[in-house]
Short mmCIF file of all heavy atoms in Angstrom, two decimals:
data_model
loop_
_atom_site.label_atom_id
_atom_site.label_comp_id
_atom_site.label_asym_id
_atom_site.label_seq_id
_atom_site.Cartn_x
_atom_site.Cartn_y
_atom_site.Cartn_z
N LEU A 124 -1.51 14.70 0.25
CA LEU A 124 -0.66 14.99 -0.91
C LEU A 124 -0.25 16.46 -0.92
O LEU A 124 0.86 16.80 -1.35
CB LEU A 124 -1.37 14.61 -2.21
CG LEU A 124 -1.48 13.10 -2.46
CD1 LEU A 124 -2.45 12.81 -3.59
CD2 LEU A 124 -0.12 12.48 -2.76
N ASP A 125 -1.13 17.33 -0.40
CA ASP A 125 -0.76 18.74 -0.25
C ASP A 125 0.30 18.92 0.83
O ASP A 125 1.20 19.75 0.72
CB ASP A 125 -1.99 19.58 0.13
CG ASP A 125 -2.83 19.93 -1.08
OD1 ASP A 125 -2.31 19.83 -2.22
OD2 ASP A 125 -4.01 20.29 -0.91
N ALA A 126 0.17 18.13 1.90
CA ALA A 126 1.08 18.26 3.04
C ALA A 126 2.48 17.74 2.71
O ALA A 126 3.46 18.18 3.29
CB ALA A 126 0.52 17.50 4.25
N TYR A 127 2.55 16.79 1.78
CA TYR A 127 3.84 16.20 1.40
C TYR A 127 4.05 16.35 -0.10
O TYR A 127 3.94 15.38 -0.86
CB TYR A 127 3.89 14.72 1.79
CG TYR A 127 3.57 14.45 3.24
CD1 TYR A 127 2.43 13.72 3.59
CD2 TYR A 127 4.39 14.93 4.25
CE1 TYR A 127 2.13 13.47 4.93
CE2 TYR A 127 4.08 14.69 5.58
CZ TYR A 127 2.96 13.96 5.92
OH TYR A 127 2.66 13.72 7.23
N PRO A 128 4.34 17.58 -0.55
CA PRO A 128 4.38 17.85 -2.00
C PRO A 128 5.48 17.11 -2.76
O PRO A 128 5.38 16.97 -3.98
CB PRO A 128 4.58 19.36 -2.08
CG PRO A 128 5.10 19.77 -0.75
CD PRO A 128 4.57 18.79 0.24
N ALA A 129 6.49 16.63 -2.06
CA ALA A 129 7.56 15.89 -2.76
C ALA A 129 7.17 14.43 -2.98
O ALA A 129 7.90 13.68 -3.62
CB ALA A 129 8.85 15.98 -1.97
N GLU A 130 6.03 14.02 -2.41
CA GLU A 130 5.65 12.61 -2.48
C GLU A 130 4.43 12.42 -3.37
O GLU A 130 3.71 13.35 -3.66
CB GLU A 130 5.35 12.09 -1.07
CG GLU A 130 6.57 12.19 -0.16
CD GLU A 130 6.28 11.82 1.27
OE1 GLU A 130 5.48 10.91 1.51
OE2 GLU A 130 6.88 12.46 2.16
N GLN A 131 4.24 11.20 -3.80
CA GLN A 131 3.04 10.90 -4.55
C GLN A 131 2.40 9.61 -4.07
O GLN A 131 2.98 8.87 -3.28
CB GLN A 131 3.30 10.87 -6.04
CG GLN A 131 4.37 9.91 -6.49
CD GLN A 131 4.62 10.14 -7.98
OE1 GLN A 131 3.71 10.04 -8.79
NE2 GLN A 131 5.83 10.49 -8.33
N LEU A 132 1.19 9.39 -4.56
CA LEU A 132 0.46 8.19 -4.18
C LEU A 132 1.15 6.97 -4.79
O LEU A 132 1.35 6.89 -5.99
CB LEU A 132 -0.98 8.31 -4.71
CG LEU A 132 -1.90 7.13 -4.45
CD1 LEU A 132 -2.12 6.92 -2.95
CD2 LEU A 132 -3.25 7.36 -5.15
N LEU A 133 1.53 6.02 -3.93
CA LEU A 133 2.20 4.81 -4.42
C LEU A 133 1.30 3.59 -4.36
O LEU A 133 1.62 2.56 -4.94
CB LEU A 133 3.47 4.54 -3.60
CG LEU A 133 4.58 5.59 -3.70
CD1 LEU A 133 5.75 5.20 -2.81
CD2 LEU A 133 5.06 5.77 -5.13
N GLY A 134 0.18 3.70 -3.64
CA GLY A 134 -0.72 2.55 -3.57
C GLY A 134 -1.59 2.61 -2.33
O GLY A 134 -1.75 3.66 -1.73
N TRP A 135 -2.12 1.47 -1.97
CA TRP A 135 -3.06 1.41 -0.85
C TRP A 135 -2.82 0.17 -0.01
O TRP A 135 -2.13 -0.76 -0.43
CB TRP A 135 -4.50 1.51 -1.34
CG TRP A 135 -4.98 0.39 -2.24
CD1 TRP A 135 -4.43 0.01 -3.44
CD2 TRP A 135 -6.12 -0.45 -2.03
NE1 TRP A 135 -5.17 -1.02 -3.99
CE2 TRP A 135 -6.21 -1.32 -3.15
CE3 TRP A 135 -7.08 -0.55 -1.03
CZ2 TRP A 135 -7.22 -2.28 -3.28
CZ3 TRP A 135 -8.09 -1.51 -1.16
CH2 TRP A 135 -8.15 -2.35 -2.28
N PHE A 136 -3.42 0.22 1.15
CA PHE A 136 -3.29 -0.85 2.14
C PHE A 136 -4.68 -1.20 2.63
O PHE A 136 -5.52 -0.33 2.78
CB PHE A 136 -2.43 -0.35 3.31
CG PHE A 136 -2.54 -1.20 4.55
CD1 PHE A 136 -1.77 -2.35 4.68
CD2 PHE A 136 -3.42 -0.86 5.58
CE1 PHE A 136 -1.89 -3.15 5.82
CE2 PHE A 136 -3.53 -1.65 6.72
CZ PHE A 136 -2.77 -2.79 6.84
#
Side-chain angles (χ1 to χ4, degrees):
L124 288 167
D125 279 342
Y127 306 115
E130 299 174 36
Q131 56 187 302
L132 178 63
L133 296 179
W135 63 302
F136 164 83

